[in-house]
């Protein structure tokens, strides 16, 4: 009997089935998994909360300690300056890699290759020891006399070394993001700009770059967050950032875990601020129509895109 | 006869050893409406793009009001002008694309006033007034603050036409302006183009809309395999073609 044929009886059964309401089947497995996970997380949180070694009182008393706050400021300073160095060098290298000149393209490739291949910690230590490599910095004739120079040791502070190392590293990664996001803008966009008589510079700044940024912001923010955390490496060269300060305090009072907790909380806070900033920026750049989406609350924004 | 606005002489273009355009010549005078017709791959779009130097001819020259486009003479050679100099020349030539190419990060108004304010230095309020006027003339004034993505294809293409008009070009190039549209929106775009033609706008149009070409009593240029095969009124070409290829083509599209 073929499927399309039906006896009167079958026909009625089918009608009855067709009249029933649809409901989702009970996800027993999913409920069980959620319950188990909740219990495990709860136990972990409990064990942590009642753990004497955490020393919550100490955490509270050191959280806003002036030295710790100073460390937070240093971490932010390194991040912000290195970010500026990274963005500008990244954009420059991206433009070199998109250039028609094979020489500029190659230099861009080598730059990216070098700073992606050498660990940032190594670059950091080399930058900090630059005076051993170049005792004097200045402008001169290669192999000839120095026209203007200054002792390396007097300029390259550990802070500057940190900014150079993280900036160069960030720049190499950002360059790849800028390059691919610029290339993702359809060719028709710059052609339309050209056809309107816009110069290449105007077309890039007003038409191509804003659209490229829509694509670039999420990965750039990701890199920025990575870098902020990565700056904790500066404790190797004795810059008094958040981690280094926490360590130097606990090396005196041996409150190791409370001070590491303090550092964790501050990193969590700083990264959270960056994450919120990222979603706000993304929303701004993606505003298909800013006005019609005004009804979305900030809260919704944060929880949907965290 | 007056100086043609566009005078293309022996324009050729090749990619590698593939010849796309083979010595195409054409002049366009003030108020002319020229339709470039022909099968796909005939080189119509490439030729149109040579007329505002989006495509650089491999040889031959295009003159805009008697001025050599995109090159200058250096003794026995033509030397490429700087991008800024070419941009200056392009201000006088409008272009409307098959895919509209509106700027998605800007509103309709911002799309229209961007070039007049940033390129020509028109004040923002003057440019806005003009934009309103032009948008009103194509029936889209209420879309002033919308983003292009919220407009239908036909509306987007009408905005694109307004964007080109806002620069007050001497000639407007249309590259298959209705080919990317759903059939229901073709008419509204052709209507706008028809009223432009009736107002004496100089236009060069790559199109497959023979009916439209007939209606604006355009001069038709039939291209095939990178060459101009014949030209004349649309009726001449459709009713009395001189070449087998022309007859074949119109036999299929009409």
């Amino acid at each position: 009997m073929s499927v399309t044929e039906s006896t009167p009886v079958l026909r009625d059964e089918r009608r009855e089935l067709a009249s029933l309401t649809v409901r989702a089947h009970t996800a027993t497995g999913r409920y069980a998994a959620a319950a188990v996970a909740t219990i495990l997380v709860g136990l972990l949180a409990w064990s942590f909360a009642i753990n004497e070694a955490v020393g919550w009182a100490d955490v509270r008393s050191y959280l806003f300690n002036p030295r710790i706050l100073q460390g937070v400021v240093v971490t932010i300073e390194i991040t912000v300056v290195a970010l500026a160095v990274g963005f500008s060098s990244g954009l420059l290298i991206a433009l070199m890699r998109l250039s028609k000149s094979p020489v500029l393209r190659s230099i861009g490739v080598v730059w990216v290759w070098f700073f992606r291949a050498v660990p940032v910690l190594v670059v950091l230590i080399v930058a900090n020891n630059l005076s051993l490599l170049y005792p004097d910095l200045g402008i001169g004739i290669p192999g000839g006399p120095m026209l203007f120079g200054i002792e390396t040791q007097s300029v390259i502070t550990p802070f500057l070394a940190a900014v150079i190392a993280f900036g160069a590293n960030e720049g190499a990664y950002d360059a790849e993001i800028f390059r691919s996001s610029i290339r993702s803008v359809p060719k028709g966009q710059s052609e339309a700009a050209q056809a309107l008589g816009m110069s290449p510079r105007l077309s890039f700044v007003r038409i191509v770059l804003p659209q490229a940024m829509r694509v670039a912001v999420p990965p750039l923010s990701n890199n920025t967050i990575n870098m902020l955390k990565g700056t904790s490496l500066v404790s190797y060269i004795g810059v008094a950032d958040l981690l280094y300060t926490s360590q130097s305090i606990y090396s005196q009072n041996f409150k190791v875990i409370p001070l590491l907790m303090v550092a964790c909380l501050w990193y969590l806070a700083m990264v959270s601020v960056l994450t919120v900033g990222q979603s706000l920026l993304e929303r701004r750049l993606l505003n298909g129509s800013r006005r019609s989406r005004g009804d979305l609350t900030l809260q919704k924004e944060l929880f949907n895109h965290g | 006869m007056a100086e043609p606005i566009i005078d293309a002489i022996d324009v050729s273009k090749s990619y590698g050893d593939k010849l796309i355009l083979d010595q195409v010549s054409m002049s366009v005078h003030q108020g002319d409406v020229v339709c470039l017709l022909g099968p796909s791959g005939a080189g119509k779009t490439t030729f149109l793009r040579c007329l505002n130097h989006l495509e650089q001819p491999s040889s031959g020259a295009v003159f805009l009001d008697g001025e050599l486009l995109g090159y200058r003479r250096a003794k026995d050679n033509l030397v490429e002008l700087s991008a800024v100099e070419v941009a200056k020349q392009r201000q006088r030539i409008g272009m409307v694309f098959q895919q509209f190419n509106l700027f998605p990060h800007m509103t309709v108004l911002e799309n229209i006033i961007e070039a007049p304010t940033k390129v020509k230095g028109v004040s923002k309020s003057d440019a806005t007034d003009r934009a309103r006027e032009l948008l009103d003339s194509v029936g889209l004034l209420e879309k002033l603050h919308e983003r292009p993505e919220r407009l239908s294809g036909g509306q987007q293409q009408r905005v694109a036409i307004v964007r080109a008009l806002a620069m007050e070009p001497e000639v407007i190039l249309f590259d298959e302006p209705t080919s990317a549209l759903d059939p229901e929106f073709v008419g509204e775009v052709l209507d706008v183009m028809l009223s432009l033609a009736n107002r004496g706008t100089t236009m060069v149009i790559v199109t497959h809309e023979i009916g439209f070409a007939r209606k604006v009593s355009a001069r038709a240029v039939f291209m095939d395999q990178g060459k101009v095969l014949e030209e004349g009124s649309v009726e001449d070409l459709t009713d009395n073609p001189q070449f087998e290829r022309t007859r074949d083509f119109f036999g299929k599209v009409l």
Side-chain angles (χ1 to χ4, degrees):
Chain A
M1 193 172 84
S2 92
V3 198
T4 47
E5 287 173 37
S6 56
T7 63
V9 179
L10 275 176
R11 191 78 201 141
D12 284 346
E13 269 177 36
R14 287 179 185 184
R15 277 183 191 287
E16 200 207 332
L17 285 176
S19 70
L20 299 180
T21 341
V22 177
R23 74 169 172 80
H25 73 91
T26 320
T28 326
R30 218 186 301 146
Y31 290 144
V36 171
T38 310
I39 292 167
L40 288 177
V41 170
L43 287 173
L44 189 65
W46 178 247
S47 71
F48 190 70
I50 61 162
N51 192 331
E52 297 281 315
V54 176
W56 289 109
D58 289 327
V59 171
R60 262 194 301 279
S61 72
Y62 277 103
L63 195 54
F64 296 103
N65 174 295
R67 282 179 69 194
I68 292 287
L69 292 183
Q70 184 55 40
V72 170
V73 170
V74 169
T75 293
I76 292 173
E77 280 173 353
I78 296 172
T79 306
V80 169
V81 181
L83 196 65
V85 174
F87 274 11
S88 34
S89 64
L91 190 55
L92 183 71
I93 294 156
L95 291 177
M96 285 168 74
R97 291 203 59 180
L98 292 167
S99 154
K100 280 182 192 154
S101 151
V103 177
L104 293 180
R105 279 206 306 271
S106 314
I107 294 174
V109 169
V110 170
W111 176 281
V112 170
W113 166 76
F114 182 84
F115 283 103
R116 288 213 300 190
V118 180
V120 67
L121 181 56
V122 177
V123 179
L124 183 66
I125 295 171
V126 171
N128 197 41
N129 289 296
L130 203 62
S131 60
L132 301 179
L133 188 60
Y134 292 106
D136 297 292
L137 289 180
I139 301 160
I141 299 154
M146 193 75 111
L147 302 176
F148 160 83
I150 192 161
E151 250 184 83
T152 305
Q153 212 153 16
S154 62
V155 240
I156 302 283
T157 60
F159 181 87
L160 198 57
V163 166
I164 291 171
F166 287 106
N169 188 65
E170 179 80 0
Y173 284 95
D174 289 353
E176 291 299 279
I177 294 171
F178 279 122
R179 184 173 69 99
S180 55
S181 60
I182 289 168
R183 287 186 55 159
S184 77
V185 178
K187 206 160 173 263
Q189 289 293 310
S190 53
E191 284 184 349
Q194 284 177 49
L196 285 165
M198 292 181 156
S199 66
R201 196 190 61 83
L202 192 60
S203 154
F204 181 72
V205 172
R206 299 283 306 173
I207 307 302
V208 176
L209 193 58
Q211 293 183 60
M213 287 313 286
R214 291 176 165 195
V215 183
V217 163
L220 285 179
S221 315
N222 215 24
N223 274 2
T224 305
I225 287 169
N226 271 333
M227 188 181 65
L228 185 144
K229 294 186 296 179
T231 56
S232 56
L233 290 172
V234 295
S235 52
Y236 275 90
I237 59 168
V239 175
D241 75 326
L242 174 57
L243 179 62
Y244 184 87
T245 309
S246 308
Q247 286 178 315
S248 53
I249 296 176
Y250 75 58
S251 68
Q252 286 160 12
N253 65 12
F254 306 110
K255 294 179 176 173
V256 178
I257 294 295
L259 278 150
L260 286 176
M261 285 298 128
V262 168
C264 280
L265 288 172
W266 275 111
Y267 281 117
L268 279 171
M270 287 188 281
V271 171
S272 304
V273 168
L274 281 183
T275 309
V276 170
Q278 175 190 357
S279 9
L280 291 178
L281 190 59
E282 265 173 53
R283 176 52 54 88
R284 240 199 90 127
L285 287 168
L286 286 174
N287 56 359
S289 47
R290 210 175 316 171
R291 287 154 203 85
S292 64
R293 289 198 193 159
D295 56 337
L296 272 182
T297 61
L298 178 67
Q299 246 181 351
K300 220 168 165 183
E301 209 159 90
L302 300 186
F303 290 113
N304 284 345
H305 296 272
Chain B
M1 204 172 190
E3 176 75 52
I5 291 183
I6 286 182
D7 194 12
I9 302 172
D10 291 344
V11 172
S12 298
K13 176 79 187 178
S14 46
Y15 293 110
D17 52 6
K18 193 158 185 263
L19 194 60
I20 307 290
L21 287 178
D22 188 4
Q23 303 210 314
V24 178
S25 298
M26 185 181 83
S27 2
V28 181
H29 288 85
Q30 170 88 48
D32 279 1
V33 177
V34 179
C35 285
L36 296 174
L37 306 172
S40 36
K44 308 180 297 286
T45 290
T46 307
F47 178 62
L48 191 77
R49 288 163 60 90
C50 284
L51 299 185
N52 71 348
H53 212 63
L54 275 184
E55 211 71 69
Q56 284 85 45
S58 310
S59 68
V62 176
F63 293 86
L64 176 66
D65 256 342
E67 185 184 321
L68 180 58
L69 183 70
Y71 300 100
R72 71 188 152 74
R73 184 178 185 148
K75 290 189 182 156
D76 292 337
N77 293 299
L78 292 185
V79 182
E80 189 76 57
L81 290 180
S82 79
V84 174
E85 288 169 308
V86 179
K88 197 147 205 132
Q89 293 182 324
R90 285 205 190 100
Q91 290 175 32
R92 299 157 61 189
I93 313 164
M95 185 156 191
V96 173
F97 297 84
Q98 186 176 355
Q99 300 294 342
F100 332 133
N101 295 349
L102 291 178
F103 306 133
H105 59 301
M106 298 180 175
T107 64
V108 165
L109 177 65
E110 288 164 347
N111 263 279
I112 298 168
I113 66 171
E114 178 69 17
T117 54
K118 293 285 187 298
V119 175
K120 272 182 150 180
V122 177
S123 79
K124 202 173 164 189
S125 68
D126 286 355
T128 305
D129 288 347
R130 181 76 184 127
R132 285 174 166 281
E133 229 171 84
L134 288 168
L135 269 179
D136 198 22
S137 72
V138 301
L140 289 174
L141 188 54
E142 81 275 18
K143 303 293 183 191
L144 201 64
H145 297 296
E146 290 284 4
R147 299 265 163 180
E149 63 184 11
R150 298 171 68 94
L151 271 51
S152 73
Q155 292 171 332
Q156 290 194 41
Q157 193 61 299
R158 283 186 278 159
V159 171
I161 293 172
V162 166
R163 181 175 69 176
L165 285 172
M167 285 295 281
E168 295 173 334
E170 292 160 47
V171 51
I172 305 185
L173 313 175
F174 291 82
D175 183 13
E176 302 203 25
T178 56
S179 298
L181 296 176
D182 289 336
E184 55 186 307
F185 299 131
V186 170
E188 62 192 52
V189 171
L190 291 181
D191 283 347
V192 169
M193 292 168 62
L194 188 63
S195 76
L196 287 181
N198 289 340
R199 268 182 277 155
T201 314
T202 313
M203 298 153 83
V204 182
I205 308 165
V206 174
T207 186
H208 297 294
E209 302 285 344
I210 313 290
F212 167 80
R214 224 190 266 267
K215 226 192 255 174
V216 294
S217 47
R219 199 168 97 224
V221 173
F222 184 79
M223 285 181 70
D224 187 44
Q225 294 178 338
K227 286 190 177 117
V228 172
L229 217 52
E230 51 187 308
E231 65 175 291
S233 73
V234 181
E235 284 77 12
D236 285 346
L237 262 63
T238 52
D239 305 343
N240 194 13
Q242 302 299 306
F243 289 86
E244 190 63 37
R245 291 284 311 162
T246 321
R247 190 171 307 130
D248 266 8
F249 176 76
F250 287 114
K252 278 173 201 149
V253 298
L254 283 180

